């Protein structure tokens, strides 16, 4: 079946470090891929998405590239801040009308 | 402001006492869904609704009911709550389905004793 695997962490970084959170997926065809972020005590927020191979999802500070050949969608940020401390979820949806399937989440802690 | 509003944020109840968690969205979204989030199990879909009067089971529907009488509202009903329904619950909405990206509510932390 369809699934998402991501590094579970916790990941601890110092401010200004480079961030990579790995995500791989299992699905047939070309699912849409997402990254969501959950800050403490809040609901999930959509961070970025990509809908086809080689698409680069971006929200100006976070990026992820849809790699069909490696079935991956790794999240990157060039310089993290303490305010980036949160849980990050990789996710997929087979079609526009299907539900979202979430990975287990990766907890990130950024130390000032 | 575009948002999904859930109430209450926190609820402690006793086994067997019926309760309703409300969810309302102001974005005219067709699709609404309920998830529960549990440590080690991640986010699991309980029920979803593609449109008014159309609801369907997700992955873990046992012990829950929903209704969709109006487009904006999608309440989650626990007719006879049990301790294994202690969880963090999220309502989400989107224009069509998951493919467009969800907008989530802030969550309801339910404890059943």
């Amino acid at each position: 079946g369809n699934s998402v695997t991501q590094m579970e962490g916790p990941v601890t970084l110092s401010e200004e470090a480079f961030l990579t959170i790995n995500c791989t997926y299992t699905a047939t065809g070309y699912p849409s891929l997402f990254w969501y972020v959950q800050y403490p005590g809040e609901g999930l927020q959509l961070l970025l998405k990509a809908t086809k191979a080689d698409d680069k999802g971006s929200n100006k500070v976070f990026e992820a590239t849809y790699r069909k050949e490696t079935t991956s969608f790794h999240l990157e940020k060039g310089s993290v801040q303490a305010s980036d401390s949160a849980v990050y979820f990789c996710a997929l949806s087979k079609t526009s009308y299907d539900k979202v399937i979430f990975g287990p989440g990766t907890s990130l802690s950024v130390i000032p | 402001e575009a948002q999904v509003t859930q109430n209450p944020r926190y609820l402690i109840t006793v086994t067997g006492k019926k309760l309703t968690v409300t969810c309302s969205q102001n974005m005219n979204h067709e699709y609404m869904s309920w998830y529960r989030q549990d440590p080690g199990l991640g986010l699991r879909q309980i029920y979803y609704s593609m449109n008014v009067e159309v609801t369907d089971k997700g992955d873990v529907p046992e012990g829950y009911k929903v209704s969709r009488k109006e487009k904006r509202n999608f309440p989650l009903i626990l007719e006879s709550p049990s301790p294994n329904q202690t969880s963090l619950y999220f309502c989400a909405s989107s224009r069509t389905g998951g493919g467009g990206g969800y907008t989530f509510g802030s969550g309801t932390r339910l404890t059943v004793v």
Side-chain angles (χ1 to χ4, degrees), chain B residues 25-72:
Chain B
Q25 50 93 4
N26 63 0
M27 295 163 283
N28 202 37
H29 283 169
E30 304 281 338
Y31 184 98
M32 297 185 76
S33 182
W34 279 101
Y35 281 82
R36 60 179 288 175
Q37 185 179 29
D38 301 288
L41 297 174
L43 284 141
R44 295 177 292 169
Q45 189 182 52
I46 303 170
Y47 269 95
Y48 65 96
S49 169
M50 301 287 285
N51 211 328
V52 176
E53 302 292 1
V54 180
T55 63
D56 212 342
K57 296 176 181 178
D59 300 314
V60 288
E62 294 77 22
Y64 304 95
K65 284 175 57 177
V66 292
S67 69
R68 188 92 182 273
K69 293 185 172 62
E70 309 161 279
K71 184 182 273 192
R72 64 183 293 123

